[in-house]
Amino acid sequence: MDIVILDQVSHPIPLFKLFRIKTLFYCHYPDKLLTQRHGILKKLYRAPLDYFEEFTTGLADEILVNSKFTAGIFRQAFSRIHREPKVLYPSINFDSLSREVDVEHTLAEHDFVSGTYFLSINRFERKKNIALAVEAFSVLHTILSPAEFENLHLVIAGGYDPQLAENREVYHELKTQVNNEGLNDHVTFMPSFSDDEKIALLSKCFAVVYTPSNEHFGIVPVEGMYFEKPVIAVNSGGPMESIEHEQTGLLCDANAADFSAAMNSLLKHKDKAKSMGVNGKRRTEELFSLEQFGSELNSVVESLLL
């Protein structure tokens, strides 16, 4: 018996049903919620598409989602589907992150390597709220003495496409924010960084700062934990499931005061921060490996074959 696994787009499912082929649909997030609906024409245009998305999704023999958070959103978005989707957490490829990288050579042009730095990895989009990391770092500057802050740094890295207006705007806004806060000597931007640079940054950073709210899952916290780094993230969405508060990182409200307090706490209690990192690596290997993902997916597929 054939089984087709569909990822994100459910529209072909009726065709497979026509030929009596079973389908498994993996929903990362309802497509209907990823588009803007400004104006009556856009709403009229989206109405049949939204209905068809829900209709075709409901035809799948099994539905998976990437987090409990997404499962809740799924139920709200697709109220006509009276089935509970199963949660299958995404995985990371340990082999690709474990390969040898000459960290010193890869980051040779950056002075922050010799100090202590917090790392933010996100696409340069407004919904990622990278400005929160800058604001929190600025508050941290006021908390610490000049001597304590002297060797601290914030590295902002992530996907950047100069062809996208939003990417250009957010990058410019962040650069302006850093300048206005007087943090130019303590903040480094690395847009469109390479895979080697990503591994090097995660290897050497003190902690990962993850600022999006209501993230569907969020792979960056998992990658940070794999590198034995404590992760500071917003207490909403996927990070509430990937991060174990006080054990592998710190979950905070999305404001600069809470984030800066978490950053300061890790700096003041480095042994605790190191312990969080060790716990995070263990948690990642237990829950987010390719082997774990494959085993759980295989169990779902086998249940469809019965």
Side-chain angles (χ1 to χ4, degrees), residues 92 97 121 198 202 219-228 284:
I92 59 175
L97 295 176
I121 298 179
K198 178 179 180 179
L202 285 166
I219 206 69
V220 170
V222 177
E223 292 174 333
M225 290 191 296
Y226 179 74
F227 280 89
E228 299 191 18
T284 300

Side-chain angles (χ1 to χ4, degrees), residues 133-151:
V134 177
E135 188 178 353
F137 195 64
S138 179
V139 173
L140 185 65
H141 187 196
T142 67
I143 295 174
L144 302 178
S145 69
E148 290 174 316
F149 191 77
E150 182 180 3
N151 291 319

Side-chain angles (χ1 to χ4, degrees), residues 94-103 106 195-196 199-200 203:
F94 296 162
D95 290 340
S96 67
L97 295 176
S98 300
R99 58 190 175 81
E100 290 290 331
V101 170
D102 187 336
V103 175
T106 304
D195 289 340
D196 281 0
I199 291 174
S203 298

Side-chain angles (χ1 to χ4, degrees), residues 62-120:
E62 187 63 83
I63 302 171
L64 304 177
V65 291
N66 59 10
S67 66
K68 295 175 184 176
F69 173 76
T70 300
I73 298 296
F74 182 96
R75 289 190 294 270
Q76 295 174 23
F78 299 138
S79 58
R80 298 184 186 88
I81 299 177
H82 302 295
R83 281 190 291 156
E84 190 72 17
K86 295 180 179 179
V87 175
L88 176 63
Y89 290 126
S91 64
I92 59 175
N93 187 340
F94 296 162
D95 290 340
S96 67
L97 295 176
S98 300
R99 58 190 175 81
E100 290 290 331
V101 170
D102 187 336
V103 175
E104 301 302 329
H105 174 74
T106 304
L107 300 177
E109 63 181 82
H110 300 291
D111 294 336
F112 61 75
V113 178
S114 61
T116 299
Y117 66 91
F118 291 90
L119 175 63
S120 167

Side-chain angles (χ1 to χ4, degrees), residues 1 3 5 22 24 62 86 294-306:
M1 179 187 295
I3 294 178
I5 300 175
K22 288 193 173 183
L24 188 161
E62 187 63 83
K86 295 180 179 179
S295 175
E296 293 185 26
L297 179 60
N298 189 59
S299 296
V300 175
V301 170
E302 287 182 345
S303 70
L304 290 177
L305 294 175
L306 297 177

Side-chain angles (χ1 to χ4, degrees), residues 26-38:
Y26 193 14
C27 176
H28 295 284
Y29 205 72
D31 183 68
K32 64 188 290 187
L33 301 181
L34 297 175
T35 60
Q36 301 294 323
R37 283 166 168 70
H38 301 309

